Amino acid sequence: MRVGDVLPPLEIEITRTLIVAGAIASRDYQDVHHDAELARQKGSPDIFMNILTTNGLVGRYITDRFGPRSVLRRVAIRLGAPNYPGDTMVLTGTVEAVEGDTATVRVVGANGIGRHVTGTVTVTVPGADRADRADRAQGAEGIAGAEGAAVHEAAGSRP
């Protein structure tokens, strides 16, 4: 993991079931998360996802990308455009900082009406710093080996 690395996006279909299940799982019984008529009475066009579900999805995005040994150290998010049923949220991430085996990742989740969530996640991946050092060392050997082979081939000989 290196500063500037871009994580593959994750598309999440926003369904009524996801919204209601997330609210129930997080014990958020506010009617705007499960009752469309009451949500409309309060000025929303439909039910919408709660912040705890969004927080869980952001955490899932990071741990899915960094693997089962990854540990979330800090999740700091801010909500924007609501996630309504029938839309798709696309989560994206960019590594902003790396210190040893810990990275800070900037996360954005956008839907059809704008940015639903923005924030940063600090994640530790045990052994990641050792793996990066090994990758860099192997890359350097590979470059040196390729350069040596090119010199021998240009000279008409084999190593």
Side-chain angles (χ1 to χ4, degrees):
M1 85 188 133
R2 295 186 180 106
V3 172
D5 283 354
V6 176
L7 281 58
L10 173 64
E11 290 188 13
I12 299 171
E13 297 296 321
I14 307 302
T15 64
R16 288 183 186 284
T17 301
L18 175 62
I19 293 170
V20 173
I24 290 169
S26 60
R27 297 183 178 187
D28 183 347
Y29 303 115
Q30 294 294 313
D31 51 24
V32 294
H33 303 307
H34 66 85
D35 189 316
E37 183 55 38
L38 290 175
R40 281 190 279 281
Q41 288 177 15
K42 293 182 177 182
S44 178
D46 206 337
I47 64 172
F48 55 91
M49 185 175 286
N50 72 354
I51 192 169
L52 296 171
T53 303
T54 299
N55 195 63
L57 292 171
V58 167
R60 169 191 161 199
Y61 174 62
I62 297 298
T63 57
D64 281 0
R65 271 37 188 185
F66 285 91
R69 295 180 58 217
S70 60
V71 178
L72 300 178
R73 299 295 181 189
R74 182 174 181 269
V75 177
I77 61 171
R78 174 170 289 194
L79 292 184
N83 266 340
Y84 293 118
D87 208 342
T88 299
M89 177 175 64
V90 179
L91 289 166
T92 57
T94 305
V95 177
E96 289 190 328
V98 176
E99 186 173 322
D101 60 0
T102 300
T104 300
V105 181
R106 180 90 174 134
V107 177
V108 174
N111 60 32
I113 56 177
R115 287 184 172 183
H116 170 68
V117 62
T118 56
T120 57
V121 178
T122 303
V123 59
T124 298
V125 184
D129 56 341
R130 289 187 303 275
D132 279 347
R133 284 194 304 270
D135 286 348
R136 284 192 294 275
Q138 184 176 11
E141 288 173 10
I143 291 169
E147 289 172 348
V151 168
H152 287 287
E153 186 158 326
S157 63
R158 297 205 184 269

